[in-house]
Amino acid sequence: MTDGGVMPIHHLSLCAGIGGIDLGLRRVVGNIRTVAMVEREAFCCANLVKAMEEGELDPCPIYADLLRFPWQKYRGVVDIVSGGFPCQPFSEAGLRKSTEDDRHLWPHIKAGLAVLRPGVCFFENVEGIATAKSPGYHSVLHNVLCDLEEMGYRATAGCFSAEEVGAPHRRKRWFILGLATADSDPCDQGEPRRASRELPQEG
């Protein structure tokens, strides 16, 4: 419990970058606590650690490899999963290999969500995700939304620019939100969340 007796909302940050989504969530969700991060870039990790030391982000373990992340270890603990998964496969500035690009991590994130079953999923990506092709779907964005719906989430997405919130540049980004539906089990197969909300022990 927090000092005010309110149960913290546990957050897992995937492809955390320098913590932009994390800082945004802290501003709008007062009792949120990040319990783990995944980020492979050394520069970003150094910035995350610095932000933790300065009290801007919650101290937590940082995992370097999403493909090796111990999803089962955090099952029943995580309420929100966020992430700015790699945009290079979809960016207009790249080759746009889309789902054929080795950096396309959505299938791995989807598999992790199936284990964790968080109540809320929140992801960010570049404008090109809405036109990047995905076999069997209109686009990768359509693929992500359909996958979330199939897993029991009410899914929606919106494209917003930095200019809309006062920045001097356009920088359009898609934001994807998945909310567990009332009749979906927040933990697969009826398994309840950990009653004591204890976090995994590291080491």
Side-chain angles (χ1 to χ4, degrees):
M1 294 253 182
T2 63
D3 291 341
V6 179
M7 191 77 76
I9 295 172
H10 287 165
H11 167 231
L12 169 63
S13 180
L14 306 177
C15 309
I18 59 172
I21 293 178
D22 304 77
L23 292 171
L25 287 174
R26 287 189 100 189
R27 292 186 67 175
V28 298
V29 185
N31 58 325
I32 195 167
R33 178 184 176 189
T34 300
V35 297
M37 292 180 164
V38 180
E39 177 52 55
R40 63 178 296 177
E41 298 295 334
F43 171 80
C44 292
C45 289
N47 277 273
L48 292 173
V49 170
K50 182 174 183 290
M52 290 178 192
E53 291 173 344
E54 294 176 352
E56 295 178 359
L57 294 175
D58 297 312
C60 67
I62 302 173
Y63 294 84
D65 188 354
L66 187 140
L67 273 61
R68 296 175 180 272
F69 183 78
W71 305 102
Q72 194 66 41
K73 193 173 182 179
Y74 287 86
R75 181 182 175 86
V77 170
V78 175
D79 303 297
I80 300 177
V81 173
S82 75
F85 55 95
C87 63
Q88 293 91 338
F90 326 119
S91 175
E92 299 286 354
L95 298 176
R96 304 206 79 202
K97 294 173 68 177
S98 193
T99 57
E100 300 301 314
D101 195 308
D102 291 341
R103 294 167 292 186
H104 178 48
L105 295 183
W106 173 249
H108 304 286
I109 293 173
K110 175 188 173 183
L113 293 177
V115 175
L116 296 178
R117 299 296 299 162
V120 178
C121 304
F122 184 60
F123 302 105
E124 171 269 339
N125 216 284
V126 294
E127 193 175 6
I129 196 175
T131 55
K133 299 302 180 185
S134 182
Y137 300 91
H138 299 304
S139 66
V140 175
L141 176 61
H142 181 226
N143 182 178
V144 171
L145 292 171
C146 287
D147 283 349
L148 288 172
E149 292 278 354
E150 289 173 3
M151 287 192 287
Y153 293 93
R154 188 172 71 255
T156 188
C159 189
F160 305 94
S161 70
E163 188 178 36
E164 291 177 62
V165 291
H169 54 280
R170 198 158 163 260
R171 194 180 175 86
K172 283 193 172 182
R173 292 292 184 269
W174 278 95
F175 291 89
I176 302 163
L177 177 65
L179 299 175
T181 56
D183 59 349
S184 67
D185 198 324
C187 248
D188 201 19
Q189 298 178 356
E191 177 185 320
R193 296 200 179 279
R194 299 181 187 181
S196 62
R197 306 278 289 167
E198 74 273 15
L199 296 175
Q201 296 299 310
E202 300 301 322

